[in-house]
Amino acid sequence: MKAVNYLMNKSEMDRHEINNFQQLIKIIKPHESNFEDRTKYSLEVVSEKIMDLAEKCVDRDTSTWIHGYKAIPLDFIDKPDHQLCSRFGTLVQKNLHFYLEQITNEGLWDISWSWGSYPESFEKARVFWKGILAVNRYKQLKAFGYLE
């Protein structure tokens, strides 16, 4: 598989690529033996590589999370039993608190990036992204026990 070879030869990756490979692991898991027959890597080794790349990608300076388009721990973690929780340690709780601090009166989060062009299209996309953020973050807050 070209994608796995690509992954295994990378020393760093952006969060979108990492998220795509995280999804690959979920899809491939039921077919683990077939995967290992077709590649020279075990699924465990590939998963470990993805976690290493995620760990390198995350901005650990919590004071900068509000500005720009940075990877933060919960970009890679969906629930408390995720293997990355132990690697990120207290950053996970700081990330959850960051979400709670940033929530608006409407119960949403604003996006922390802009396109710099196409202002009308950006405003439409911004509304959609706020919805996507809300759904994902409420799921995470619930999974971590912050919501009933």
Side-chain angles (χ1 to χ4, degrees):
M1 292 175 71
K2 288 182 182 181
V4 174
N5 288 330
Y6 170 81
L7 167 73
M8 298 307 287
N9 288 304
K10 296 296 278 186
S11 60
E12 60 182 41
M13 215 178 248
D14 74 27
R15 73 174 171 198
H16 300 291
E17 285 183 295
I18 294 167
N19 288 149
N20 290 337
F21 280 107
Q22 285 181 307
Q23 293 305 311
L24 173 71
I25 294 299
K26 288 179 184 177
I27 293 166
I28 294 294
K29 186 68 175 158
H31 313 283
E32 187 169 352
S33 62
N34 190 23
F35 173 83
E36 292 177 357
D37 289 343
R38 297 176 131 216
T39 69
K40 61 183 178 180
Y41 304 103
S42 70
L43 196 58
E44 183 179 334
V45 167
V46 173
S47 296
E48 184 67 29
K49 178 69 174 186
I50 295 166
M51 288 190 293
D52 289 345
L53 291 168
E55 200 172 358
K56 287 180 185 176
C57 182
V58 163
D59 182 1
R60 294 175 181 277
D61 182 355
T62 60
S63 69
T64 65
W65 286 358
I66 195 165
H67 306 290
Y69 197 66
K70 301 170 187 270
I72 56 180
L74 292 178
D75 288 336
F76 304 110
I77 298 169
D78 54 356
K79 53 191 175 196
D81 64 351
H82 194 285
Q83 292 175 315
L84 282 171
C85 282
S86 62
R87 291 186 184 210
F88 289 130
T90 60
L91 277 180
V92 173
Q93 292 303 317
K94 289 178 181 178
N95 196 161
L96 289 160
H97 289 279
F98 172 74
Y99 284 174
L100 293 172
E101 291 168 2
Q102 297 303 314
I103 196 167
T104 67
N105 291 336
E106 294 84 25
L108 299 171
W109 291 265
D110 202 358
I111 60 173
S112 61
W113 67 91
S114 66
W115 290 352
S117 57
Y118 308 105
E120 290 176 19
S121 297
F122 174 73
E123 285 308 314
K124 290 177 186 174
R126 182 181 193 172
V127 171
F128 292 121
W129 274 110
K130 287 168 78 170
I132 291 167
L133 287 178
V135 168
N136 290 337
R137 291 179 179 179
Y138 278 117
K139 283 181 179 178
Q140 290 168 315
L141 289 168
K142 182 173 175 80
F144 280 88
Y146 283 76
L147 301 173
E148 293 180 20

